Amino acid sequence: MVKADPSAPTAEEHAHKGVNKWRYLQWRDTTSSTSTLGFRIEGIMMEDGSVQRDFRKIHTLTQVTEALLYFTRRQLDTLNAYHSRLLDLKDALRGSEFFRTHEVIGSSLLFVHDHNKASVWMIDFGKTTPLPDSRELQHVVPWVEGNREDGYLIGLTSILTALRQAISVAEGQQEGS
């Protein structure tokens, strides 16, 4: 936290030379697209095996769109496959009793493509917990302490919007070729 922003810790946190995990995670969310878009990009592995993890400066849909265009090398088929898969996933989640009755924390979407196929999978369910007392979540409500909402569908909708923008850019470039 101090390395990224020396002014981020409070005076008390500076005096203790540390922050608790909840505080750090909350701060990290505000320094990424999590607070503005409902998700963040953790890393991208390119076809040559190179890995990029420095996405802290991505905060806007336009920046996410550029990252998607870079990751897919502007391949329209790949972008369309991702978009279609995420639409299907969103429909499946909306109809899922499991999804309605579980808090999905720390889950990720894994995007994988090659020259022929592309798909997306939900992964990392280690922190997914059932709700007590037959409660249900909407997943479109921002998290505030105590509400147990995870905003999962907020993030998914943001990714779909960025993909639509990336598809438009790629289509424009194909038409211009």
Side-chain angles (χ1 to χ4, degrees):
M1 179 188 266
V2 171
K3 192 188 305 182
D5 181 1
S7 67
T10 64
E12 183 179 343
E13 290 166 341
H14 273 296
H16 285 92
K17 296 187 187 293
V19 297
N20 65 35
K21 185 176 181 178
W22 183 83
R23 165 79 167 102
Y24 172 75
L25 293 174
Q26 185 181 40
W27 170 81
R28 187 182 66 176
D29 285 353
T30 63
T31 63
S32 71
S33 60
T34 301
S35 62
T36 56
L37 302 176
F39 74 95
R40 69 178 166 272
I41 300 172
E42 285 291 330
I44 292 177
M45 179 182 283
M46 299 302 288
E47 64 186 323
D48 66 0
S50 64
V51 177
Q52 296 179 8
R53 296 188 192 280
D54 189 24
F55 293 98
R56 286 186 214 125
K57 293 183 176 136
I58 289 183
H59 295 276
T60 67
L61 275 174
T62 300
Q63 292 167 322
V64 171
T65 299
E66 286 301 317
L68 288 166
L69 288 165
Y70 172 76
F71 173 59
T72 61
R73 304 241 190 250
R74 301 174 181 261
Q75 295 298 309
L76 191 52
D77 289 346
T78 301
L79 292 163
N80 279 320
Y82 284 150
H83 189 261
S84 176
R85 173 73 169 144
L86 289 177
L87 285 174
D88 290 346
L89 178 61
K90 189 174 184 180
D91 286 344
L93 290 174
R94 283 183 174 152
S96 169
E97 181 180 343
F98 179 89
F99 189 64
R100 283 191 308 274
T101 60
H102 285 75
E103 194 175 15
V104 183
I105 303 296
S107 176
S108 298
L109 292 174
L110 177 64
F111 289 69
V112 178
H113 67 270
D114 62 16
H115 298 289
N116 302 311
K117 291 193 291 187
S119 197
V120 183
W121 292 272
M122 288 178 69
I123 61 170
D124 301 333
F125 296 98
K127 297 177 192 167
T128 297
T129 56
L131 296 170
D133 305 326
S134 303
R135 285 184 55 195
E136 290 190 2
L137 296 179
Q138 297 175 46
H139 299 282
V140 293
V141 176
W143 178 87
V144 293
E145 192 169 357
N147 77 351
R148 301 197 70 163
E149 285 287 350
D150 54 30
Y152 197 95
L153 293 175
I154 295 171
L156 189 54
T157 299
S158 294
I159 295 168
L160 282 162
T161 300
L163 275 165
R164 278 193 299 275
Q165 291 176 356
I167 289 166
S168 292
V169 170
E171 285 173 340
Q173 288 177 336
Q174 266 191 357
E175 290 170 7
S177 298

